[in-house]
Structures are given as structure tokens and as C-alpha cells.
Amino acid sequence: AQSVTQLGSHVSVSEGALVLLRCNYSSSVPPYLFWYVQYPNQGLQLLLKYTTGATLVKGINGFEAEFKKSETSFHLTKPSAHMSDAAEYFCAVSSNTGNQFYFGTGTSLTVIP
Amino acid sequence: EPEVTQTPSHQVTQMGQEVILRCVPISNHLYFYWYRQILGQKVEFLVSFYNNEISEKSEIFDDQFSVERPDGSNFTLKIRSTKLEDSAMYFCASRLFGVVNTEAFFGQGTRLTVV
């Protein structure tokens, strides 16, 4: 079985500060991990994904995430927050059959001017 | 850029009525999904569909729910007799088949309000 835990349902950062959104996964097989972003009243947009290979993956809008197997983590970071980054962020893991995605509960990011 | 489209964007229905939510997946995708998100809660898996049949479904997807791909392009979710607790945002998604590590592409969602 697979699952995702996102620590912190709400994160606030100042504009220009580091963004760190936490995601830990549980998987009995090598996971495929994803971060999606949801802007208000919109659908889910892929930020980045980890499949195999390099453990540090770069995504859109300056975001990146590092797969750490020893810590079962896939935390999302951005060096400098921008006002436009305010959104809901979801971490997801793909099932070993590829049939479905398991989503975390989401983290709402607020950027303070 | 190809995208998943959903209609309507917002649907209001009376309790007990049937609703059909429509989705047009990306044309070369073969795996289709429905997810729902109750306001303020996590995105929940409902059902996945491949080769004209359900491949997996969650506990939420009971006999009141059904899915169909009637014409090779549309992918619909039907709720036979809506309940107040069905009020949520419903997302359709599609994915390439055969490559497990590809992402799902999501539509903008249909906000269903049951009154």
C-alpha cells in the first residue's frame, strides 16, 4: 500500500524567503513521486516529478524537490518565494500498478509581502 | 498544448437528482480517472478506467456512481441519486498507458453543489 503525508496544512513565508513544503511517503516498492499545485478555482497542475535517476528534480516556476530514500521524503523547495506562489500544493505517489495516484492532504502556502 | 477539459464548471442539483459530469481527456491517453475534493479536504481517488472498463475503484465509488466512455472521446461520471455529501469539486484526469511513471493531467474540475 502507498500513502503520502504532508506535514503542515498551512505554511506562511515572506516574499523572497525560502519555501519548504514537506512530504513523506510510504511505499513497499520504489515510488514515483509528484508535486502538483492548485491555484484558486483551478485544477491540478504538475510542478515536478521523480521517477528514476537523479534524486534532485527541478520543476516549473523555480521549484525543486529531492528524493531521499533513507528518509522516505520528497520535500519541495524554492529559494525565494514570490507572491504568485500562493496556492495549494499536493504531494502524490503513484501506485505500483500505475493505476492511481495517492494524494496528500495538501499544504496551503501563503506569501506575505 | 493538449489539455483535459471538463463541463460544466459548476453544477447545482437537488438532492436525489441524477447528474452527469463530462470530461474530454487528452486524445492519445488511455487511462482515465475521476477524483473528488470536498471543500477544504484532500483530493480523493474515485475510479480509474482503462480499455472500456473500470480498473480500480475506491470505497467512495459505490453503486450510486458509474462511469462511461460513450463515444471514444468523452468520459463521464454519473451520480444516480445525489446526496448532500456529494457536494465537492470533481476532477477528471488522463494518463498515457504503458509508462507507469508518467504524470496524470487534470482538468479544471466541476464544482457540484447538491441542495
Side-chain angles (χ1 to χ4, degrees):
Chain A
Q2 294 166 305
S3 66
V4 168
T5 301
Q6 290 184 244
L7 292 176
S9 57
H10 297 277
V11 170
S12 292
V13 300
S14 297
E15 191 174 15
L18 171 71
V19 176
L20 171 61
L21 305 182
R22 300 178 186 274
C23 172
N24 288 88
Y25 69 90
S26 172
S27 177
S28 57
V29 296
Y32 301 114
L33 296 158
F34 307 81
W35 274 99
Y36 282 86
V37 60
Q38 183 182 30
Y39 297 104
N41 301 314
Q42 295 191 26
L44 295 159
Q45 179 184 0
L46 181 73
L47 268 181
L48 48 79
K49 64 180 179 181
Y50 168 77
T51 55
T52 57
T55 56
L56 180 64
V57 293
K58 295 185 185 300
I60 62 172
N61 301 336
F63 284 93
E64 61 183 37
E66 186 171 9
F67 170 62
K68 292 187 177 180
K69 185 178 178 180
S70 61
E71 299 177 7
T72 61
S73 68
F74 190 58
H75 301 331
L76 181 72
T77 60
K78 182 174 180 177
S80 177
H82 191 273
M83 295 298 294
S84 60
D85 294 328
E88 189 86 14
Y89 291 81
F90 293 92
C91 183
V93 60
S94 180
S95 69
N96 53 7
T97 60
N99 278 350
Q100 63 161 297
F101 289 76
Y102 296 88
F103 282 88
T105 50
T107 298
S108 178
L109 176 66
T110 300
V111 181
I112 303 166
Chain B
E1 185 176 326
E3 60 180 15
V4 176
T5 57
Q6 290 184 242
T7 55
S9 57
H10 192 187
Q11 172 110 31
V12 180
T13 188
Q14 286 197 322
M15 189 170 54
Q17 294 296 306
E18 175 184 285
V19 294
I20 298 176
L21 309 183
R22 291 184 166 79
C23 169
V24 179
I26 295 173
S27 61
N28 62 338
H29 287 186
L30 297 176
Y31 250 126
F32 312 115
Y33 306 82
W34 282 102
Y35 286 80
R36 80 172 186 190
Q37 184 182 26
I38 295 172
L39 186 63
Q41 298 186 26
K42 68 188 293 184
V43 178
E44 300 174 291
F45 169 74
L46 292 178
V47 65
S48 61
F49 190 88
Y50 169 71
N51 198 26
N52 285 320
E53 62 182 21
I54 291 173
S55 56
E56 195 168 348
K57 61 182 181 180
S58 71
E59 294 175 349
I60 302 168
F61 195 87
D62 61 22
D63 292 344
Q64 291 298 314
F65 291 88
S66 63
V67 289
E68 194 176 38
R69 190 157 160 80
D71 56 11
S73 61
N74 290 287
F75 179 52
T76 62
L77 174 70
K78 181 192 291 186
I79 309 174
R80 285 189 186 77
S81 178
T82 50
K83 302 187 279 288
L84 293 177
E85 53 264 38
D86 293 327
S87 295
M89 182 74 93
Y90 289 80
F91 292 106
C92 173
S94 69
R95 192 182 193 186
L96 283 171
F97 175 70
V99 185
V100 173
N101 57 13
T102 59
E103 66 270 27
F105 290 79
F106 285 81
Q108 300 285 69
T110 293
R111 181 169 297 284
L112 176 65
T113 303
V114 182
V115 297

